[in-house]
């Protein structure tokens, strides 16, 4: 959500900043802008809409200069408009900002009482005015930023320039990510490594509360009390090739088809012929996992659905109690934490504001320890957890998560197996489950072959406005995920239910205009699901059934459609059956002409509450 790029260089930086913004478009945004320090002045260009619209304005009147900041905005305060777009300028200062300042109303009132006139509705402009006021009192830019951020309540990542100090950019972070890119004769700030990988692969990730000052030749980080501090330099493994679409029409399609490799990479060197390998959750994980008597899984959105699948696995195979909550709810209630409960956070980005806050809140609640399953090695969640498992999905550009979900399931399956082994699962059963998990990449490859049939099926949804998804057991979260994907990118209202709940209300919605998508792998609940589907047929509902060849399923769809999915076994079936639902959502969205990779109103990494 939102994107920051900043640079201090010997060359004109505006083209670099705009290229960085384009690399961050996947995060979701509604406006963009660039500000560059020229001789004695700050020049900027801003526009509502896509980066290309702002770029056209820049090309018509270029902004020369070696120091600048840029931003893509996702509206929190004020409607999307040029006036509310970043960068914001107050006097001698320009600023870009990710996050939310919670006490901005009182700060804004204080500034207005002192005569400041605001030109936007944003909380960000308040920060620019505060920094400018401090500089009017004789402070340098870095000192003014330090004093100002101490006054702020909420979350922020900022980059600030001033025409009084050409050649310098000051950044700061609390609750939102910010990193430094180190070049030769130039240095950069960014909210995401992808914004900087075109200019450098040497990155420094700022810690919570850090303030940084960069120039062409130097970079220095300070703690919030102003003391210099050193942070480690990392060489990013990200490549520009990894974020190109290649032969695919959209990033989402590319990422769906990358899932066999991504899952294989996640399992590599973590599971072998005799089971899950030791210490895959960290060198000190053995003692914590041995003591674990229960788990609380916290996540948001798609990651929450992955946690729901894990609940079924862990309770069935490890016989440990598991609760799963959305992070935004967990934060604001007093959860009961039984002795020896492990806190598990799941996040693609590792910077999801609610999940990160929940992890920090868990410190005071007496958990045995914390485990993070994440796709971003240098993220705040990973750095702050006791144990971690990286999912190795690689860059995921499409806002609607696909390979992040299946790799999270692979990681959670490893956790379930490790806990099951420690808690007395029959060795023969354990070996069968491990073999199933190792087969998962091939099973996903097989599911991807359904794309031609799903393209044909997707035409049925073009003019639909509603859909129901059904599943039972561990397939119920898969139905939830399928409904989420359809609504995210096609804008069709979709809901998911445990199929046994149909008769308790949702059945009232079923008629000939309501497609009902059922996830029906073979298993102990299949006969129950068949009965639920008969209820849909009896009311004229259009059934679309994904099944794996179980007896009696061939005629279940009636006048609807049945597609056969080779699940590879009941353990891995949730991950396999997710794939055709992803393809269905994707091809429906393509036919409806929506913005598949950047659906309206959504952002990739939700770094505000």
């Amino acid at each position: 959500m939102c994107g920051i790029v900043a640079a201090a260089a010997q060359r004109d930086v505006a083209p670099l900043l705009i290229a960085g913004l384009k690399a961050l478009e996947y995060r979701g945004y509604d406006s963009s802008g660039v500000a560059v320090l020229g001789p004695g002045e700050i020049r900027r260009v801003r526009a509502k809409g896509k980066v290309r619209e702002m770029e056209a304005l820049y090309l018509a009147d270029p902004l020369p200069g070696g120091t600048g900041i840029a931003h893509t905005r996702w509206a929190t305060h004020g409607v999307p408009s040029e006036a509310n777009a970043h960068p914001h300028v107050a006097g001698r200062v320009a600023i870009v900002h990710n996050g939310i300042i919670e006490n901005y109303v009182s700060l804004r009132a204080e500034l207005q009482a002192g005569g400041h006139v605001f030109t936007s509705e944003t909380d960000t402009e308040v920060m620019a005015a505060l920094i400018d006021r401090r500089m009017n009192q004789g402070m340098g830019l870095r000192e003014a930023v330090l004093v100002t951020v101490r006054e702020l309540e909420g979350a922020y990542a900022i980059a600030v320039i001033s025409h009084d100090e050409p050649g310098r950019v000051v950044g700061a972070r609390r609750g939102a990510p910010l990193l430094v890119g180190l070049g030769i004769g130039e240095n950069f700030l960014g909210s995401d490594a992808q914004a900087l990988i075109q200019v450098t692969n040497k990155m420094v990730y700022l810690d919570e509360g850090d303030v940084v000052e960069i120039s062409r030749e130097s970079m220095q980080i300070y703690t919030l009390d102003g003391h210099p501090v050193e942070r480690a330099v990392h060489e990013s493994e990200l490549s520009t090739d990894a974020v190109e679409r290649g032969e695919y029409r959209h990033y989402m399609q590319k990422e769906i088809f990358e899932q066999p490799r991504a899952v294989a990479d996640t399992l590599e060197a973590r599971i072998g012929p005799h089971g899950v390998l030791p210490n895959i959750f960290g060198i000190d994980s053995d003692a914590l996992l041995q003591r674990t008597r229960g788990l609380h899984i916290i996540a948001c959105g798609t990651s929450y659905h992955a946690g729901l699948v894990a609940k079924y696995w862990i309770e069935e195979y490890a016989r440990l109690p598991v609760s799963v909550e959305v992070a935004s709810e967990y934060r604001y209630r007093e959860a009961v934490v039984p002795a020896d409960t492990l806190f598990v956070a799941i996040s693609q980005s590792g910077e999801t504001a609610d999940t990160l806050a929940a992890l920090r809140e868990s410190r005071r609640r007496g958990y045995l320890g914390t485990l993070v399953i994440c796709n971003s090695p240098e993220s705040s969640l990973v750095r702050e957890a006791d144990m971690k498992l990286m999912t190795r999905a690689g860059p995921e550009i499409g806002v609607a998560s696909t390979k992040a979900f299946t790799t999270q399931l692979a990681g959670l399956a490893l956790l379930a197996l490790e806990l099951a082994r420690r808690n007395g699962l029959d060795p023969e059963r354990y070996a069968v489950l491990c073999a199933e998990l190792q087969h998962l990449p091939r099973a996903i490859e097989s599911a991807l072959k359904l794309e031609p049939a799903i393209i044909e099926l997707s035409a049925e949804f073009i003019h639909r406005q509603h859909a129901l998804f059904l599943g039972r057991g561990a397939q119920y979260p898969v139905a939830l995920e399928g409904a989420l994907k359809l609504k995210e990118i096609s804008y069709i209202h979709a809901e998911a239910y445990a199929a046994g709940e149909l008769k308790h209300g949702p059945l009232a919605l079923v008629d000939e205009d309501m497609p009902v998508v059922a996830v029906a792998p073979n298993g102990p609940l299949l006969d129950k699901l068949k009965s639920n589907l008969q209820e849909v047929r009896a009311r004229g509902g259009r059934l679309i059934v994904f099944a794996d060849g179980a007896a009696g399923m061939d005629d279940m769809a009636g006048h609807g459609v049945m597609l056969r999915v080779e699940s590879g076994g009941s353990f891995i079936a949730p991950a396999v059956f997710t794939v055709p639902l992803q393809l269905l959502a994707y091809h429906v969205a393509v036919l409806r002409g929506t913005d598949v990779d950047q659906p309206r109103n959504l952002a990739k990494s939700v770094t505000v509450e």
Side-chain angles (χ1 to χ4, degrees):
M1 150 174 310
C2 301
I4 289 174
V5 194
Q10 297 176 357
R11 49 180 165 162
D12 285 343
V13 296
L16 305 178
L17 299 176
I18 292 171
L21 293 185
K22 288 180 177 179
L24 296 179
E25 286 190 287
Y26 75 96
R27 295 168 70 99
Y29 67 102
D30 51 55
S31 57
S32 63
V34 172
V36 173
L37 282 178
E41 65 173 347
I42 297 170
R43 295 185 61 200
R44 63 177 168 164
V45 57
R46 301 177 295 168
K48 178 183 173 182
K50 298 297 186 182
V51 170
R52 63 177 175 268
E53 296 169 36
M54 180 272 293
E55 183 182 24
L57 296 175
Y58 158 76
L59 292 173
D61 186 14
L63 310 176
T67 306
I69 55 178
H71 192 262
T72 51
R73 176 180 184 259
W74 188 83
T76 56
H77 295 78
V79 299
S81 67
E82 181 181 340
N84 287 327
H86 300 212
H88 288 287
V89 173
R92 70 196 70 203
V93 167
I95 187 172
V96 292
H97 164 225
N98 291 352
I100 290 179
I101 305 305
E102 296 173 0
N103 62 333
Y104 90 101
V105 173
S106 60
L107 294 171
R108 184 183 179 104
E110 177 191 342
L111 287 160
Q112 286 174 321
H116 186 85
V117 177
F118 287 91
T119 61
S120 78
E121 304 168 83
T122 68
D123 52 346
T124 304
E125 191 181 357
V126 171
M127 287 187 283
L130 288 171
I131 295 167
D132 184 61
R133 183 173 70 174
R134 300 297 185 189
M135 294 189 74
N136 285 334
Q137 295 168 352
M139 296 183 188
L141 179 60
R142 173 168 53 85
E143 184 183 5
V145 170
L146 276 165
V147 171
T148 297
V149 297
R150 292 181 195 133
E151 297 182 59
L152 304 178
E153 297 172 10
Y156 59 79
I158 60 174
V160 191
I161 56 176
S162 169
H163 62 61
D164 282 5
E165 298 188 22
R168 296 186 183 278
V169 184
V170 175
R173 69 149 295 188
R174 183 173 72 203
L178 192 68
L179 56 94
V180 182
L182 302 176
I184 300 173
E186 55 188 16
N187 289 303
F188 305 88
L189 298 179
S191 53
D192 189 315
Q194 286 178 206
L196 306 182
I197 197 64
Q198 299 174 73
V199 289
T200 181
N201 69 340
K202 293 188 185 326
M203 312 285 183
V204 178
Y205 292 83
L206 300 183
D207 281 359
E208 194 77 347
D210 281 352
V211 174
V212 63
E213 183 177 65
I214 64 169
S215 66
R216 290 178 296 183
E217 301 295 343
S218 67
M219 182 277 294
Q220 180 60 61
I221 300 171
Y222 302 85
T223 60
L224 203 54
D225 57 10
H227 296 305
V229 65
E230 298 294 326
R231 303 292 183 216
V233 178
H234 301 267
E235 288 201 13
S236 175
E237 297 180 0
L238 191 65
S239 70
T240 54
D241 291 342
V243 294
E244 295 295 329
R245 283 202 310 265
E247 65 188 47
Y248 296 96
R249 183 171 178 180
H250 296 94
Y251 283 110
M252 183 179 178
Q253 185 185 31
K254 173 177 180 276
E255 288 153 9
I256 289 171
F257 278 84
E258 285 176 339
Q259 288 177 113
R261 170 49 53 197
V263 169
D265 288 345
T266 298
L267 296 176
E268 184 180 2
R270 290 170 171 169
I271 189 168
H274 304 294
V276 177
L277 301 177
N279 298 319
I280 66 169
F281 301 98
I283 295 174
D284 300 322
S285 63
D286 188 73
L288 286 174
L289 294 177
Q290 190 62 38
R291 288 179 55 193
T292 296
R293 302 270 61 85
L295 298 92
H296 283 180
I297 299 177
I298 309 299
C300 300
T302 286
S303 297
Y304 170 70
H305 297 157
L308 290 174
V309 174
K311 174 181 172 69
Y312 283 93
W313 286 340
I314 294 169
E315 291 191 341
E316 179 176 356
Y317 302 125
R319 309 301 300 157
L320 295 175
V322 180
S323 68
V324 187
E325 287 193 62
V326 290
S328 56
E329 291 297 316
Y330 168 86
R331 291 175 58 184
Y332 296 108
R333 73 177 192 88
E334 288 296 327
V336 175
V337 182
D340 295 328
T341 297
L342 181 67
F343 181 95
V344 181
I346 311 170
S347 171
Q348 186 276 139
S349 69
E351 302 291 351
T352 307
D354 285 316
T355 308
L356 183 56
L359 176 73
R360 291 167 178 165
E361 175 66 16
S362 75
R363 299 294 186 192
R364 75 168 186 85
R365 296 191 179 183
Y367 286 92
L368 172 66
T370 57
L371 166 65
V372 163
I373 294 176
C374 184
N375 190 44
S376 302
E378 298 301 329
S379 64
S380 299
L381 270 175
V382 171
R383 295 202 303 271
E384 296 183 25
D386 300 322
M387 300 183 288
K388 62 272 302 181
L389 183 77
M390 306 316 303
T391 54
R392 301 173 183 164
E396 187 178 68
I397 308 302
V399 166
S401 184
T402 52
K403 63 177 178 174
F405 179 68
T406 47
T407 54
Q408 286 170 355
L409 289 180
L412 289 163
L414 290 168
L415 176 63
L417 288 173
E418 178 63 11
L419 291 170
R421 181 187 65 79
R422 292 171 181 273
N423 286 278
L425 181 66
D426 175 73
E428 290 187 9
R429 181 66 175 139
Y430 175 75
V432 169
L433 296 176
C434 288
E436 271 192 41
L437 185 56
Q438 289 177 296
H439 178 69
L440 178 56
R442 293 185 293 279
I444 292 175
E445 280 185 353
S446 177
L448 288 168
K449 295 176 183 177
L450 288 170
E451 187 179 37
I454 291 173
I455 291 173
E456 183 177 345
L457 171 63
S458 63
E460 295 194 20
F461 285 78
I462 294 177
H463 302 296
R464 306 285 191 179
Q465 298 305 316
H466 308 278
L468 287 178
F469 286 69
L470 302 177
R472 298 205 69 151
Q475 297 299 333
Y476 168 48
V478 173
L480 287 169
E481 177 63 12
L484 176 62
K485 285 292 152 289
L486 188 66
K487 72 181 76 168
E488 279 181 314
I489 62 171
S490 75
Y491 313 149
I492 293 173
H493 170 237
E495 294 189 60
Y497 290 92
E501 283 293 291
L502 267 180
K503 62 181 69 70
H504 298 291
L507 203 55
L509 298 172
V510 174
D511 60 20
E512 62 276 8
D513 294 323
M514 175 69 78
V516 179
V517 180
V519 185
N522 200 6
L525 291 175
L526 184 60
D527 286 339
K528 299 292 185 183
L529 179 61
K530 288 180 185 178
S531 298
N532 303 139
L533 299 186
Q534 292 288 7
E535 296 168 356
V536 174
R537 286 183 63 183
R539 287 153 181 85
R542 173 72 166 163
L543 274 172
I544 297 161
V545 182
F546 293 94
D548 63 356
M553 289 302 296
D554 288 335
D555 63 347
M556 183 51 63
H559 70 289
V561 176
M562 192 189 83
L563 294 181
R564 191 177 303 280
V565 183
E566 298 299 330
S567 69
S570 60
F571 180 41
I572 64 171
V576 178
F577 273 74
T578 294
V579 174
L581 300 187
Q582 294 171 345
L583 287 168
L584 178 63
Y586 171 73
H587 285 291
V588 171
V590 169
L591 288 178
R592 285 170 65 96
T594 61
D595 191 340
V596 172
D597 288 330
Q598 298 171 40
R600 67 189 183 198
N601 303 333
L602 299 181
K604 183 63 176 175
S605 178
V606 184
T607 56
V608 297
E609 183 178 347

